[in-house]
Amino acid sequence: MSEVSVVEGGAEDGAPVPDSDENRRQVLYWRLLARLFDPEEQASLESASVAVVEDIGLPVALLDPTASVDSVVQRHPDLAAEFDGLMTPEPDADGERDRAAEVRRAALVSKVLLNVFSTGNGTVTAEQLARWQSDAGWLERALGCRPGDLRGGRGGAGRARAGGGVSPTGTGVGTPAPDLSRLIPEIGPELGSIEAGLVQRMHLREVLADPALASRLTPSMSLIEQLLRDKNNLSGLALANAKALIRRYVDEVTEVLRTQVEKASVGELDRSVPPKRVFRNLDLDRTIWKNLTNWDPEEEQLYVDRLYYRHTSRKTTPQRLIVVVDQSGSMVDSMVNCTILASIFAGLPKVDVHLIAYDTQALDLTPWAHDPFETLLRTQLGGGTDGTVAMALAQPKIAEPRNTVVVWISDFYEWRTDELFESMAAIHRSGARFIPVGSVTSSGRGSVNPWFREKFKDLGTPVISGHIKKLVHELKTFLT
């Protein structure tokens, strides 16, 4: 407890006077660590932290682990803006650290970290899960992301602002705080893991059977995974509420992914087709440039004798997209994302989408590829992995290899490795585009069988692993 005594006692004669703001910051972070690793209250740390918070003009409710960030912000609305980008602050213009501001930041950081990473034990209620999801959203905002981004939720991973961060274990005056944005790839999967643990601790079937409790649930990847695993054991009102949650999640993710697809390039301009002479296609800059010789300096007017229009028609070729998805237990996130992505591409002109899901058996989901909700309801998550059964369905679909792309999403932990790889290499040699994908998640973290990874690299078709945006880019480049 020497850190606490420094705050109150000062230095002995002849010793350098400690930085009071730095000590306050240390007290808040020591209290955070103590509460994270030991649920029992440390009286001296608690009283010292209360004194610090009151001294800097923040509400003591920040130290209450039972109070959500939402409830604190509701009572003190001015604090809401302080949480945005809290852990990726802009550097001071003069390069000096504002120690007083760092104390205030430490109090806010401690609040959101404690609420998110200290989840206790025992059964979790729908209200507790909703509160945690809200607090996790505030943490994501503090890291410069949108709520839901890091947990594989409704947004693609957001971009944290550049700048320094706050170090919960930083020591010593003048020690620069690390940039926490670099930790985002690790924080996201951990948040998803915590959320999955909370969902598993719920009596989900009882919650779904109660409309009031079910209405408190916010759809997330962890919750959707559990609903998909348990859907065959649900009936009546519980099943209806489960389907409503799945539908909400699918619709929200679909909107985000559709925006990403629309932002990608959509093929080369077809200059063999004359541009449509409509106002929205008018190339004003080119029109002015081409008519500059008609400028009348006396009247200061430009006489236009010809209008120029932009080409908007694009070259498109009928393409076939075959998506093969491993639906074993380790690939749930990819299954959900790729099912939704396949439905979006199914809506593009001249793109023929086929969807196959497999574990030890293969299922042709092509008739429902346009509707990700119906597709997901037909999946059966879990079980082993045998890609050869999926290959037996996929190969006959390759009618015109040079106009076909096969996307294979799996961690590639197979038991008939040589046979499966030879079939994949044959697709590549036929002229079709073969894209192996190790993970298609919002967090971008996934494990891939190193044997397959090296084989694909040697084949010239390296495994795509990472954010779903990478796959969107690859598919748009090929299909349009």
Side-chain angles (χ1 to χ4, degrees):
M1 307 314 300
S2 58
E3 296 291 343
V4 179
S5 63
V6 171
V7 175
E8 304 294 341
E12 298 178 358
D13 293 341
V17 178
D19 186 299
S20 58
D21 286 330
E22 183 68 16
N23 282 329
R24 287 171 176 159
R25 189 173 72 98
Q26 292 286 333
V27 166
L28 293 172
Y29 282 135
W30 277 115
R31 184 250 178 194
L32 168 64
L33 292 173
R35 293 301 295 259
L36 284 174
F37 292 104
D38 186 354
E40 292 297 324
E41 228 178 59
Q42 302 292 326
S44 55
L45 279 174
E46 293 295 327
S47 60
S49 297
V50 168
V52 170
V53 168
E54 289 180 335
D55 191 43
I56 60 178
L58 287 173
V60 178
L62 284 172
L63 301 176
D64 182 1
T66 66
S68 67
V69 177
D70 269 343
S71 65
V72 174
V73 169
Q74 187 175 7
R75 295 185 180 90
H76 307 275
D78 292 343
L79 291 179
E82 294 193 52
F83 281 99
D84 288 326
L86 177 67
M87 298 184 184
T88 57
E90 300 291 347
D92 295 329
D94 56 5
E96 294 292 327
R97 295 168 62 204
D98 186 342
R99 293 181 176 86
E102 287 191 359
V103 177
R104 187 177 183 88
R105 194 179 303 130
L108 298 173
V109 168
S110 296
K111 175 59 181 173
V112 72
L113 289 180
L114 185 61
N115 278 28
V116 171
F117 289 100
S118 180
T119 57
N121 299 303
T123 302
V124 173
T125 66
E127 184 176 359
Q128 287 172 325
L129 177 63
R131 195 194 85 164
W132 183 91
Q133 290 172 327
S134 173
D135 287 335
W138 283 104
L139 175 59
E140 288 163 320
R141 288 176 59 171
L143 288 166
C145 304
R146 296 184 301 273
D149 282 353
L150 300 184
R151 288 167 282 155
R154 293 153 295 286
R159 182 184 301 276
R161 299 187 307 177
V166 177
S167 170
T169 56
T171 57
V173 178
T175 302
D179 182 358
L180 287 187
S181 64
R182 292 178 298 178
L183 300 179
I184 286 178
E186 298 300 325
I187 292 175
E190 290 306 320
L191 290 179
S193 177
I194 294 173
E195 185 173 29
L198 292 172
V199 171
Q200 290 175 359
R201 287 160 53 189
M202 291 180 64
H203 295 307
L204 189 56
R205 297 179 192 176
E206 289 83 350
V207 171
L208 291 171
D210 187 329
L213 293 177
S215 66
R216 298 180 184 178
L217 295 175
T218 300
S220 64
M221 181 58 70
S222 298
L223 184 58
I224 297 308
E225 176 181 347
Q226 192 64 33
L227 292 175
L228 291 175
R229 290 183 184 281
D230 207 32
K231 65 182 186 295
N232 293 331
N233 298 317
L234 301 174
S235 61
L237 185 58
L239 181 59
N241 285 329
K243 288 183 176 181
L245 285 165
I246 296 172
R247 171 74 75 180
R248 277 176 57 195
Y249 185 81
V250 165
D251 290 346
E252 290 170 357
V253 176
T254 299
E255 188 61 32
V256 173
L257 292 182
R258 182 178 289 114
T259 300
Q260 293 178 9
V261 171
E262 290 172 350
K263 285 181 178 179
S265 61
V266 289
E268 297 180 358
L269 291 173
D270 188 354
R271 299 190 180 278
S272 65
V273 179
K276 290 185 179 180
R277 300 173 67 84
V278 294
F279 179 75
R280 68 174 179 272
N281 291 343
L282 179 63
D283 190 337
L284 188 58
D285 291 341
R286 188 166 179 238
T287 297
I288 294 174
W289 176 257
K290 290 290 187 178
N291 288 278
L292 281 178
T293 56
N294 299 329
W295 171 255
D296 187 333
E298 293 183 0
E299 297 185 12
E300 295 186 348
Q301 289 185 347
L302 178 67
Y303 293 92
V304 177
D305 57 19
R306 182 180 176 184
L307 297 174
Y308 291 83
Y309 296 87
R310 298 184 184 89
H311 287 80
T312 56
S313 296
R314 297 183 181 272
K315 296 179 181 179
T316 58
T317 304
Q319 305 281 16
R320 174 163 291 188
L321 169 62
I322 302 172
V323 181
V324 183
V325 189
D326 177 352
Q327 65 173 355
S328 63
S330 60
M331 299 297 295
V332 176
D333 199 341
S334 293
M335 181 73 213
V336 173
N337 277 284
C338 286
T339 297
I340 295 171
L341 191 60
S343 73
I344 295 171
F345 279 102
L348 295 180
K350 298 186 178 181
V351 178
D352 179 24
V353 175
H354 295 253
L355 180 61
I356 298 169
Y358 76 97
D359 41 41
T360 55
Q361 295 181 329
L363 180 65
D364 191 344
L365 297 169
T366 302
W368 304 278
H370 66 285
D371 188 338
F373 173 72
E374 291 296 332
T375 300
L376 288 172
L377 292 184
R378 285 168 170 78
T379 59
Q380 193 66 45
L381 304 179
T385 308
D386 184 1
T388 61
V389 296
M391 183 61 74
L393 286 179
Q395 282 180 320
K397 295 177 179 289
I398 306 175
E400 299 180 17
R402 297 208 173 272
N403 291 331
T404 302
V405 57
V406 178
V407 179
W408 197 291
I409 302 104
S410 175
D411 54 13
F412 298 100
Y413 283 95
E414 300 277 345
W415 63 284
R416 287 197 272 191
T417 56
D418 292 301
E419 179 181 348
L420 180 60
F421 179 77
E422 285 304 316
S423 299
M424 293 172 170
I427 291 176
H428 175 69
R429 289 192 295 267
S430 73
R433 176 76 182 277
F434 186 82
I435 304 177
V437 182
S439 65
V440 182
T441 67
S442 297
S443 63
R445 187 173 76 172
S447 173
V448 176
N449 186 333
W451 186 88
F452 268 95
R453 185 185 290 279
E454 289 302 315
K455 285 287 187 179
F456 285 132
K457 185 177 179 180
D458 294 339
L459 187 64
T461 58
V463 175
I464 295 177
S465 289
H467 197 274
I468 194 169
K469 288 181 180 179
K470 293 182 181 180
L471 181 56
V472 171
H473 175 75
E474 288 287 331
L475 292 178
K476 288 291 288 186
T477 300
F478 183 83
L479 293 173
T480 58

